[in-house]
Amino acid sequence: MRSGVVTLKVGMTRIFTNEGEHIPVTVLRCDGCHVISHLTEERNGYTALQLGSGKAKVNKISRSLRGHFAKAKVIPKLKLFEFRVTPDNLIEVGAELTADHFVEGQYVDAVGVSIGKGFAGVMKRHNFRGLRASHGVSVSHRSHGSTGGCQDPGKVFKNKKMAGHMGNSRVTVQNLQVVRTDVERGLIMLRGGVPGSKGGWIYLRDSVKHSLPDSLPRPGAFRSAAVLESGLGDEPHESDHSTTEGA
């Protein structure tokens, strides 16, 4: 199991294939996605990579976090996220993951926070059909109707579908196909829509319902910490990418 990537949602556009097919895509950008630390079975009880993305103001983060980023020799990050991995897919601390971590044609799962829509009724929130337009119904055409029994059981059960806050919740969309990647600009284009608004954080990982292609880099596509410290990581070159094959 490989690590995922923390990306920033740029927006939606469309691209055309050589056959003239029109494909709507969501554009995601890898905004300096670095490996911050390792979580191991001996110390934490599970194996994972902690990734950081974005750029945070130094005076806006705590002193302990400053030391955490300084230990990894990276600038303070705006967003932190963990990805469970197998021990053979650990990536060195300080490395920067690139857009070619995913290959064109493979399927990924995207996790994001949906756009908040405020208070909504049951017809919009849960797709209820509403009450009849006649036969004694007045005023309450869009209401949810009865919520349960009267004396037996004498209560409303938990998780009953009713009006309430809609959106602004964690959503996972599976089986999104990678249409194109742009390593120089750090862009990943996925077929279809991805939850969240422009500027929202999206976590990408390999699809759990599709087999991984043989050309997938293992443990991933990244620029090593040594390459970044030498100053060669500003512009991607073929020799800068570490795409070693795992066991």
Side-chain angles (χ1 to χ4, degrees):
M1 184 165 57
R2 300 192 318 151
S3 170
V5 175
V6 183
T7 61
L8 203 63
K9 184 174 179 179
V10 178
M12 290 196 69
T13 183
R14 59 180 177 175
I15 59 177
F16 292 92
T17 63
N18 295 331
E19 293 75 19
E21 181 186 5
H22 156 243
I23 303 177
V25 295
T26 300
V27 182
L28 306 176
R29 184 176 76 246
C30 295
D31 190 13
C33 184
H34 288 82
V35 179
I36 306 300
S37 67
H38 291 171
L39 291 89
T40 60
E41 187 73 30
E42 297 77 13
R43 185 178 56 189
N44 307 101
Y46 62 97
T47 305
L49 285 178
Q50 185 186 57
L51 303 184
S53 188
K55 185 179 180 180
K57 295 182 179 179
V58 179
N59 60 345
K60 295 292 185 180
I61 61 175
S62 63
R63 183 177 296 178
S64 60
L65 275 178
R66 295 179 198 173
H68 186 57
F69 293 123
K71 185 177 180 180
K73 297 182 180 180
V74 298
I75 61 175
K77 296 296 180 179
L78 195 61
K79 197 70 175 178
L80 294 175
F81 197 79
E82 291 181 7
F83 288 98
R84 296 283 186 102
V85 298
T86 51
D88 58 327
N89 281 312
L90 287 173
I91 302 174
E92 62 174 316
V93 174
E96 180 185 4
L97 275 72
T98 55
D100 54 348
H101 184 74
F102 304 105
V103 298
E104 296 181 5
Q106 85 162 104
Y107 290 88
V108 297
D109 298 338
V111 181
V113 179
S114 61
I115 298 175
K117 297 177 174 61
F119 189 91
V122 292
M123 293 184 70
K124 181 176 181 179
R125 191 183 186 202
H126 299 297
N127 201 27
F128 280 22
R129 71 175 185 178
L131 304 187
R132 292 184 175 183
S134 60
H135 292 281
V137 179
S138 60
V139 182
S140 56
H141 299 284
R142 296 181 64 88
S143 67
H144 51 67
S146 174
T147 59
C150 181
Q151 184 174 351
D152 185 16
K155 66 176 182 179
V156 178
F157 288 105
K158 289 184 178 180
N159 301 322
K160 177 67 178 178
K161 291 182 178 180
M162 301 177 69
H165 189 190
M166 181 178 177
N168 195 30
S169 59
R170 182 187 174 104
V171 179
T172 300
V173 178
Q174 295 181 322
N175 306 327
L176 295 172
Q177 189 178 25
V178 178
V179 178
R180 189 173 298 174
T181 59
D182 189 334
V183 181
E184 293 184 0
R185 294 186 292 177
L187 301 180
I188 303 174
M189 303 180 190
L190 305 180
R191 180 190 289 265
V194 170
S197 59
K198 295 179 181 179
W201 295 102
I202 305 295
Y203 313 112
L204 291 183
R205 61 193 179 199
D206 296 330
S207 175
V208 297
K209 293 184 177 179
H210 281 80
S211 58
L212 301 181
D214 297 333
S215 59
L216 205 62
R218 297 175 185 273
F222 57 92
R223 300 185 182 96
S224 64
V227 171
L228 294 175
E229 290 179 1
S230 64
L232 299 176
D234 298 334
E235 296 182 1
H237 298 283
E238 188 67 28
S239 59
D240 295 343
H241 291 88
S242 298
T243 56
T244 57
E245 294 292 328

